[in-house]
Amino acid sequence: MATAASEEIDILEKAKRIIGPDYVPSEDEPYMNEKQQNYFRMLLLEWKRSIQNAAGQTLQSLADGPIREPDLNDRASSETDWGIELRTRDRQRKLTSKINSALRKIDEGEYGYCEVTGEPIGLKRLIARPVATMTVEAQEAHERREKISRDD
């Protein structure tokens, strides 16, 4: 079973291939121009579609019936696998919400700008994580504050 992170990377790579190998957003063009916005829109839509397909497969497997393993160890192993699968789908459900938010931001002309500072997030970061909402610096500061509040 692949990890959630490796599944996300595979989905993003597939989306990039569908969009086309010829275009990659570049620092040489105006930031968040129409071509870049279309690139990220297609990337996000393909990512969302892949997540929904995987969720549909999980639902179909659940609908096929309960786990019927005669051996208790096999049943426990199957139940553990299902638990992991359902947690993965829950994380992906939350990711779908972030994707929808990013798509709304593209439509509103706000995509690619930090929620905290208002500065451009940066193309490399958005290509790596299209649902990013903060610059690297703002994200690091947020995580430091979060860690300090957890430690208290």
Side-chain angles (χ1 to χ4, degrees), residues 113-119 133-135 138-139 141-142 145:
Y113 295 92
C114 181
E115 290 179 346
V116 176
T117 65
E119 296 175 6
T133 59
M134 292 184 254
T135 61
Q139 183 70 41
H142 172 74
R145 285 190 304 275

Side-chain angles (χ1 to χ4, degrees), residues 70-82:
D71 182 64
L72 289 177
N73 290 329
D74 290 342
R75 182 179 178 114
S77 179
S78 294
E79 287 176 359
T80 299
D81 290 346
W82 273 113

